[in-house]
Amino acid sequence: MTIRFHKMQGLGNDFVVIDARNQAFSPLLNIIVSLCDRRLGVGCDQFVLLEAPDRPGADVKVRFFNPDGSEAGACGNASRCVVALLGSAPVLQTAAGLLPSFENAHGVPGVDMGAPRLEWQDVPLARPCDTLRLPLAGEPAACSMGNPHATFFDGIGDAATRGPALERDSLFPERANIGFAQVMARGALRLRVWERGAGLTPACGSGACAAVVNGVRRGLLDRSCRVDMDGGTLDIVWREDGHVLMAGPATHVFEGFWPV
Ligand SMILES: N[C@@H](CCC[C@H](N)C(=O)O)C(=O)O
């Protein structure tokens, strides 16, 4: 038996998407790990599963899995890919809540990523801390975009060397995505993200949202900010009502069939 999948990418952050609304699929760990494997499988930074929604107002339920099999509450780039795949500005049901989508004035897909959570319990952190300056060397700021993020504002250069230990620091009981940022101007940020369960990726949508939120809280950035990552640029707006809007490219690469 085979199952149909879509390969998609947003800023080079790439995904295998399976729509389980019209074909039976159980997200077993060994299947996810082999689908994500770049040598033995299709290869991707995250696996994305579409299911029938079970909340009023949602058009589709979306679940995100890292290549190590861990499930993530949010994935910005994959969310935009789902919007591009389905069309008609769907409302996404995710672990982070219902996320409306939109197309911006240039026809670029976007997602309302909801409001960041700023309390230490929400990130989550292992103990009470000021999330604006965590008690770690370099004093990153932390927030949750539905998944845990910490952002350093001391440059992007050593993301690959500092990321692995920080992802697993005991301050983060669920591990964390670690952003390394360089403020270029109040409306422009350079960013690299070491992703929990995936490592260094060309771009991280939820990481870009978190970095802008954390940069605004630190007084470094305006609420409307472009975020330049190795794979390209996202436009992020942290609206006064608390919601974070993210817009940027998302592309269908190919589709295929996977034996299960
Ligand atoms: N690439 C994503 C984030 C994917 C999930 C993350 N690694 C986690 O475990 O929280 C994005 O674009 O947001």
Side-chain angles (χ1 to χ4, degrees):
M1 191 187 133
T2 59
I3 193 142
R4 186 177 179 208
F5 68 86
H6 300 272
K7 179 72 192 284
M8 301 200 73
Q9 63 91 16
L11 307 181
N13 188 196
D14 61 349
F15 311 103
V16 169
V17 183
I18 287 181
D19 191 344
R21 294 175 303 169
N22 46 29
Q23 49 187 350
F25 180 79
S26 304
L28 298 174
L29 179 65
N30 63 324
I31 298 180
I32 293 172
V33 170
S34 48
L35 265 173
C36 292
D37 191 296
R38 293 191 186 279
R39 291 182 188 276
L40 305 176
V42 182
C44 60
D45 293 322
Q46 272 87 34
F47 168 70
V48 181
L49 182 64
L50 307 185
E51 296 177 330
D54 49 30
R55 284 190 54 187
D59 293 308
V60 61
K61 182 173 180 178
V62 190
R63 295 172 67 190
F64 312 103
F65 297 87
N66 289 311
D68 67 359
S70 59
E71 188 163 358
C75 179
N77 288 326
S79 297
R80 288 196 326 285
C81 285
V82 173
V83 171
L85 180 68
L86 301 184
S88 307
V91 175
L92 312 182
Q93 176 187 342
T94 71
L98 295 191
L99 307 183
S101 63
F102 60 89
E103 254 189 19
N104 77 7
H106 308 287
V108 171
V111 174
D112 175 346
M113 296 286 286
R117 285 179 295 152
L118 309 177
E119 299 300 322
W120 69 270
Q121 303 94 324
D122 298 328
V123 175
L125 301 176
R127 55 182 189 274
C129 291
D130 178 2
T131 61
L132 208 45
R133 289 187 187 277
L134 299 186
L136 294 171
E139 297 189 329
C143 69
S144 170
M145 289 303 310
N147 55 348
H149 287 274
T151 318
F152 288 83
F153 289 95
D154 55 3
I156 63 168
D158 44 8
T161 48
R162 290 164 71 195
L166 286 161
E167 172 193 350
R168 294 174 179 278
D169 191 280
S170 61
L171 190 57
F172 306 118
E174 296 178 10
R175 299 188 281 156
N177 300 286
I178 311 294
F180 298 89
Q182 171 97 46
V183 176
M184 310 306 287
R186 289 196 61 84
L189 191 69
R190 184 76 176 88
L191 179 71
R192 271 196 189 125
V193 179
W194 177 271
E195 287 195 27
R196 174 179 67 167
L200 205 57
T201 59
C204 176
S206 55
C209 296
V212 171
V213 165
N214 288 331
V216 171
R217 295 169 67 214
R218 288 273 268 262
L220 300 169
L221 296 174
D222 292 339
R223 296 181 82 101
S224 178
C225 186
R226 60 176 279 162
V227 180
D228 295 316
M229 292 171 280
D230 293 341
T233 299
L234 287 176
D235 290 312
I236 307 293
V237 179
W238 187 16
R239 275 189 337 211
E240 295 291 346
D241 68 0
H243 286 232
V244 181
L245 304 190
M246 168 205 59
T251 309
H252 191 273
V253 185
F254 63 87
E255 62 185 73
F257 293 88
W258 183 258
V260 283

